[in-house]
Amino acid sequence: MALDLTKEFPRSPRERLGGIAILPRAIDKARAQLAGTLGSYIYFDCGINRVLFTMLHVSDQQFLDAVARAKNDDDVLRWIREELQPSEAAIARMNAFIEHLEPRPEQQAHFDAMLQAADPGNTAVTRWVDLLDLEEGRLPKGSGAAT
């Protein structure tokens, strides 16, 4: 089930699998990494993936290996639930963190440049999830931040 991220977007960082935000997107990027179709996306050392992997206590390589063994999303979720066993409280904290994640001061210029490239004049978008959804067409241009 390869995904070609040179032709399509990964799922939204807001999308959840088993109640876990970013997980579907991380799976999409892992599948593309395995298939050699990652395009301009980043799998290894991706900041937003790192939030998920930290909560799960796995490396990007361990996650990649699990996705490689999995037949589908449900197999990845089963591995997480049975082998890694994250607490519901840890998942809830991570989901809230992802939803509200803003650029760090050293990232602000990069964030602003990405925002202006995606939607010139937009100054309302301040969170990474909104920027990713804007860039990938899930948030209309000129709309500002999602509520």
Side-chain angles (χ1 to χ4, degrees), residues 6-92:
T6 67
K7 297 179 180 172
E8 57 189 309
F9 298 119
R11 288 173 275 185
S12 171
R14 288 188 171 89
E15 191 167 332
R16 297 177 184 200
L17 175 62
I20 305 172
I22 203 68
L23 179 57
R25 185 181 185 89
I27 292 170
D28 289 349
K29 289 169 68 179
R31 286 185 179 132
Q33 174 71 33
L34 291 163
T37 58
L38 198 57
S40 63
Y41 286 90
I42 300 167
Y43 176 77
F44 285 103
D45 205 30
C46 169
I48 204 158
N49 282 359
R50 196 174 318 118
V51 175
L52 172 67
F53 300 158
T54 297
M55 187 272 298
L56 295 174
H57 303 287
V58 297
S59 69
D60 9 22
Q61 187 62 54
Q62 289 169 308
F63 187 84
L64 188 67
D65 293 344
V67 170
R69 289 188 307 270
K71 291 182 179 126
N72 54 41
D73 287 358
D74 289 337
D75 285 352
V76 176
L77 183 60
R78 189 175 303 100
W79 170 71
I80 289 169
R81 294 290 187 196
E82 293 175 4
E83 300 296 322
L84 307 177
Q85 301 179 351
S87 71
E88 292 305 316
I91 292 169

Side-chain angles (χ1 to χ4, degrees), residues 95-129:
N95 288 348
F97 181 81
I98 289 286
E99 183 64 34
H100 297 97
L101 183 61
E102 294 183 351
R104 296 185 309 267
E106 67 272 15
Q107 298 172 318
Q108 192 64 54
H110 175 67
F111 181 94
D112 292 343
M114 289 175 63
L115 176 57
Q116 292 313 303
D119 191 11
N122 186 328
T123 58
V125 170
T126 60
R127 299 175 298 183
W128 284 108
V129 293

